[in-house]
Amino acid sequence: YFLYQPPNMEVMIHGVIDLMNHSTFEMRELGKVREILWIAQELARIANSVVTWKRELNEFDCSSAIFAYVLGEGILTPDTWREHDLETILENTQYSNHHRFFLSLWLKRYHELLSYLKKAQLQSINLDSFISSMPRLFVDFHLNLEGHL
């Protein structure tokens, strides 16, 4: 689940559409830009998972990375999920380490993104402001809205 997260945040799609309209973009840099967009999409997905898991629980939507984490760590069992025991699922998930795990994962991937951006040495497009806005978006938008989305 964590190797290839679902692409539902649409960062890759919108990024590639933006590139199609960028008059000075060099196609030889496409692979590097797609890698940057892929990591950015993963960051958006992590942030979204942290914020929306309680709503998804009420909808019995088990596609959240949070639920993959608590199942993988043995905090919950598939039987608990199948029984729709919301109280147990909510309690065990809230007291799991998922916040620490996903914040650490987000920070790790963000630093990898910064490192990759530096190594990529893109010439035809500047993604610095896009990348530098991500921590603010994560904190100001996602973390402050946890439980409201």
Side-chain angles (χ1 to χ4, degrees):
Y1 187 89
F2 295 107
L3 184 58
Y4 292 106
Q5 294 203 7
N8 66 336
M9 300 309 297
E10 299 183 8
V11 174
M12 183 71 79
I13 294 167
H14 291 290
V16 171
I17 289 171
D18 285 350
L19 290 178
M20 294 166 128
N21 293 298
H22 196 285
S23 61
T24 62
F25 180 70
E26 293 288 333
M27 284 301 292
R28 63 183 161 73
E29 294 183 331
L30 181 61
K32 293 175 182 178
V33 172
R34 284 181 53 87
E35 181 66 23
I36 290 166
L37 292 172
W38 182 262
I39 298 170
Q41 180 167 273
E42 181 182 359
L43 294 172
R45 174 74 175 152
I46 292 167
N48 185 68
S49 293
V50 168
V51 172
T52 61
W53 73 270
K54 286 182 185 175
R55 176 183 49 87
E56 291 165 347
L57 173 61
N58 288 325
E59 298 168 357
F60 293 105
D61 177 358
C62 62
S63 65
S64 171
I66 304 299
F67 300 122
Y69 172 79
V70 295
L71 286 168
E73 293 295 308
I75 296 163
L76 291 176
T77 66
D79 288 337
T80 309
W81 187 262
R82 278 191 292 275
E83 294 165 3
H84 293 178
D85 184 353
L86 283 178
E87 188 175 315
T88 301
I89 295 169
L90 180 62
E91 184 176 314
N92 289 356
T93 303
Q94 282 181 317
Y95 296 110
S96 73
N97 254 350
H98 78 270
H99 261 95
R100 182 176 301 133
F101 173 82
F102 283 100
L103 179 58
S104 296
L105 179 60
W106 193 95
L107 289 169
K108 176 181 179 260
R109 293 298 285 153
Y110 181 71
H111 289 294
E112 290 171 357
L113 177 60
L114 291 175
S115 176
Y116 186 83
L117 180 63
K118 187 176 182 178
K119 285 191 306 187
Q121 297 181 344
L122 299 172
Q123 302 296 312
S124 65
I125 191 168
N126 185 342
L127 296 176
D128 292 343
S129 63
F130 169 66
I131 301 305
S132 66
S133 69
M134 296 190 88
R136 183 169 174 243
L137 179 65
F138 181 51
V139 173
D140 290 352
F141 180 72
H142 283 96
L143 291 182
N144 288 333
L145 290 175
E146 183 177 1
H148 300 287
L149 290 179

